[in-house]
């Protein structure tokens, strides 16, 4: 079976070289290896920018143009705009019916973003429910894997937990409830109360240690058969017939793309080089980058590891150029502007074909519309298959009756 990969980006502005080296290059590889669904998450943009939506429309099309410009291919991957596939909203709503409030409140981004974006009012249902919409994005397409960085693994865990919880409620066979009840009776009231507390710790609080404790606890109960232990443990873990596939993490390499100041390239740091930056601006930005503070005068030797420019050389320069930079810097044989020149040339060479293809696509709005229209049709067809199973499991497929 071909693996299904799902990934999306919020349209919050022009993409930069950090996006290209950190995400888009992996997409180019994945689109040749798997069934990929790449979407522009315009609804997600509203969770933090619901008061200032004016730029979202333009950002959506800019993002699509830049995806195409770097080589993301609509013939290889399904490209679409999230709001063009209403099934995302329906599944998010249905999942919300069975999601404990505490699960949403403990998602790492909930408090982190509230802290970072204090100037915005994020005490909204939409912001709290962001993980539900994210989960719907993933589960709708039966994703096998979701590409995430190491710092985002915890964010995906709620999607896995919700799939598990849904399957536990709606994927049980008719006799499962009776077998669980029989097992609880065999435990006795006091032990059954302990088991229920362990179940709450795992299912509501997300405490993974509760599973190991339950295994040990059930193993100590002499009145239980092996079958009863297995059924009770399945009950605690929320295991049932798979209606929604539990997605797995596809761990991506940490982005090594440094910004102009040596920190990770990010718009929030103001240290980016946009994918379509004008050549003269690229040259100006790199020429004015800070360097090793020890190089006050041209004749002062420096240490490459203390210089943000060296970090970019490790991305763009080959061994010969890096050797020349290191030797020239440590001996003061070259100046900082000399060091920056091959870097400028390398960045401009990388951007030139991207800029050219972006101009091509920007001049063809009708083709862009056709791409997202076709992508949304394919996405809706795939999403509807999943929603059909979900509706049936929840008793929402009502046949017409004569009254």
């Amino acid at each position: 079976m071909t693996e299904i990969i799902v990934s999306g980006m919020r349209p919050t502005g022009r993409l930069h070289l950090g996006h290209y080296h950190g995400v888009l290059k992996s997409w180019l590889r994945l689109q040749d290896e798997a069934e990929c669904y790449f979407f522009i998450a315009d609804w997600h943009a509203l969770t933090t920018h619901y008061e200032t939506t004016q730029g979202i429309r333009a950002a959506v099309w800019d993002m699509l143009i830049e995806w195409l410009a770097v080589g993301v291919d609509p013939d290889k991957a399904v490209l679409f705009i999230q709001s063009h596939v209403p099934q995302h909203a329906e599944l998010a709503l249905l999942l919300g019916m069975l999601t404990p409030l505490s699960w949403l409140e403990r998602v790492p981004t909930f408090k982190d973003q509230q802290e970072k974006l204090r100037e915005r009012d994020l005490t909204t249902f939409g912001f709290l429910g962001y993980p539900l919409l994210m989960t719907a994005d993933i589960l709708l397409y039966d994703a096998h894997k979701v590409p995430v960085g190491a710092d985002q693994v915890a964010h995906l865990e709620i999607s896995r937990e919700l799939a598990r919880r849904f399957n536990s409620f709606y994927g049980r066979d008719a006799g499962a409830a009776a077998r669980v009840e029989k097992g609880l009776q065999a435990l006795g009231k006091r032990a059954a109360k302990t088991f229920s507390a362990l179940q709450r710790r795992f299912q509501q609080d997300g405490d993974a240690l509760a599973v190991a404790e339950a295994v040990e606890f059930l193993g100590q109960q002499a009145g239980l058969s092996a079958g009863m232990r297995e059924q009770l443990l399945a009950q605690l873990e929320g295991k049932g017939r798979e209606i929604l596939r539990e997605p797995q993490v596809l761990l991506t390499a940490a982005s090594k793309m440094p910004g102009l100041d040596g920190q990770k390239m990010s718009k929030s740091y103001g240290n980016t080089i946009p994918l379509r930056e004008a050549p003269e601006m690229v040259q100006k930005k790199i020429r004015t980058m800070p360097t090793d503070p020890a190089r006050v005068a041209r004749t002062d030797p420096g240490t490459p590891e203390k210089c943000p420019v060296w970090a970019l050389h490790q991305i763009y320069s080959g061994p010969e150029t890096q050797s020349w930079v290191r030797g020239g810097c440590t001996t003061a044989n070259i100046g900082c502007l000399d060091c920056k020149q091959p870097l400028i040339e390398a960045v401009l060479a990388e951007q030139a074909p991207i800029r050219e293809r972006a101009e091509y696509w920007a001049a063809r709005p009708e083709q862009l519309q056709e791409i997202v229209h076709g992508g949304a049709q394919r996405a809706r067809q795939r999403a509807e298959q999943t929603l059909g199973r979900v509706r049936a499991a929840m008793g929402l497929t009502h046949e017409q009756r004569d009254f």
Side-chain angles (χ1 to χ4, degrees):
M1 181 186 295
T2 303
E3 282 194 332
I4 299 172
I5 305 292
V6 176
S7 190
M9 285 188 185
R10 297 198 327 157
T12 56
R14 291 283 183 94
L15 301 181
H16 52 69
L17 294 178
H19 293 117
Y20 178 53
H21 288 273
V23 178
L24 294 174
K25 277 189 172 181
S26 69
W27 283 15
L28 299 182
R29 174 180 54 81
L30 289 168
Q31 70 181 1
D32 289 324
E33 300 174 355
E35 180 182 341
C36 294
Y37 293 83
F38 299 141
F39 65 95
I40 299 171
D42 55 341
W43 277 341
H44 281 300
L46 292 174
T47 61
T48 54
H49 291 73
Y50 61 88
E51 293 176 315
T52 54
T53 63
Q54 297 85 353
I56 293 178
R57 184 194 301 271
V60 164
W61 295 110
D62 281 338
M63 179 168 283
L64 178 62
I65 288 167
E66 289 171 343
W67 285 2
L68 297 170
V70 301
V72 180
D73 189 341
D75 291 329
K76 295 180 179 179
V78 181
L79 310 184
F80 64 98
I81 299 170
Q82 182 186 36
S83 62
H84 290 188
V85 184
Q87 287 87 346
H88 287 245
E90 182 178 346
L91 183 55
L93 173 69
L94 295 177
L95 290 173
M97 303 301 178
L98 55 112
T99 303
L101 187 61
S102 61
W103 285 21
L104 300 177
E105 291 173 335
R106 66 177 166 81
V107 173
T109 48
F110 180 65
K111 290 184 178 178
D112 289 349
Q113 289 292 307
Q114 283 188 322
E115 184 67 25
K116 290 177 182 176
L117 301 174
R118 288 184 175 182
E119 73 281 4
R120 296 184 183 277
D121 178 11
L122 297 183
T123 56
T124 63
F125 172 77
F127 183 70
L128 179 65
Y130 170 93
L132 290 174
L133 185 54
M134 177 192 72
T135 297
D137 298 334
I138 297 166
L139 301 187
L140 265 179
Y141 302 99
D142 285 332
H144 291 90
K145 293 180 180 177
V146 181
V148 295
D151 59 338
Q152 298 173 308
V153 171
H155 303 162
L156 182 62
E157 188 58 30
I158 191 171
S159 299
R160 292 165 48 79
E161 291 173 343
L162 282 170
R164 204 178 303 137
R165 184 173 173 85
F166 187 95
N167 293 337
S168 75
F169 286 151
Y170 305 111
R172 297 175 186 161
D173 62 74
R179 290 195 297 273
V180 168
E181 184 60 30
K182 187 175 180 181
L184 292 173
Q185 288 176 358
L187 280 176
K189 288 185 178 180
R190 180 176 295 181
K193 187 175 181 180
T194 300
F195 174 79
S196 296
L198 289 169
Q199 182 175 332
R200 283 195 301 274
R201 275 178 53 195
F202 178 69
Q203 292 191 358
Q204 295 185 22
D205 302 333
D207 185 354
L209 292 176
V211 176
E213 291 179 29
V215 170
E216 182 179 359
F217 173 73
L218 293 176
Q220 295 169 350
Q221 308 307 307
L224 289 180
S225 66
M228 288 176 178
R229 289 192 186 93
E230 183 179 347
Q231 186 67 59
L232 287 171
L233 193 59
Q235 167 79 3
L236 182 141
E237 292 185 279
K239 290 180 178 177
R241 177 173 56 87
E242 186 179 82
I243 300 169
L244 293 174
R245 178 177 286 147
E246 190 175 330
Q248 303 299 314
V249 167
L250 177 59
L251 198 59
T252 57
S255 176
K256 298 179 181 178
M257 190 65 196
L260 295 166
D261 56 0
Q263 299 183 83
K264 177 182 176 181
M265 187 172 285
S266 170
K267 281 180 282 192
S268 60
Y269 297 148
N271 63 358
T272 66
I273 298 177
L275 275 178
R276 291 189 272 170
E277 186 85 274
E280 58 272 17
M281 284 302 299
V282 172
Q283 183 167 343
K284 180 180 179 181
K285 283 185 174 182
I286 295 178
R287 286 176 66 88
T288 56
M289 280 181 66
T291 55
D292 180 0
R295 296 207 70 181
V296 178
R298 167 66 174 76
T299 54
D300 294 330
T303 304
E305 286 73 18
K306 296 180 180 179
C307 178
V309 180
W310 173 248
L312 282 174
H313 271 297
Q314 292 178 297
I315 301 291
Y316 285 100
S317 300
E320 186 176 341
T321 301
Q322 288 187 30
S323 177
W324 172 77
V325 168
R326 178 176 288 281
C329 178
T330 55
T331 62
N333 232 12
I334 62 172
C336 291
L337 290 179
D338 299 323
C339 168
K340 292 173 178 177
Q341 189 55 38
L343 190 58
I344 292 170
E345 294 169 2
V347 172
L348 291 177
E350 178 178 69
Q351 287 181 310
I354 295 174
R355 194 182 300 108
E356 182 179 347
R357 288 192 293 264
E359 290 175 0
Y360 171 89
W361 285 111
R364 290 163 172 77
E366 291 183 0
Q367 284 184 248
L368 296 177
Q369 290 278 2
E370 290 174 4
I371 287 170
V372 295
H373 177 71
Q377 281 188 319
R378 293 167 65 189
R380 285 194 294 268
Q381 289 172 359
R382 189 68 180 79
E384 193 58 31
Q385 294 176 22
T386 302
L387 263 178
R389 299 197 307 269
V390 168
R391 295 186 193 115
M394 298 182 79
L396 298 174
T397 50
H398 310 303
E399 295 181 358
Q400 186 176 352
R401 297 174 58 185
D402 295 325
F403 291 96

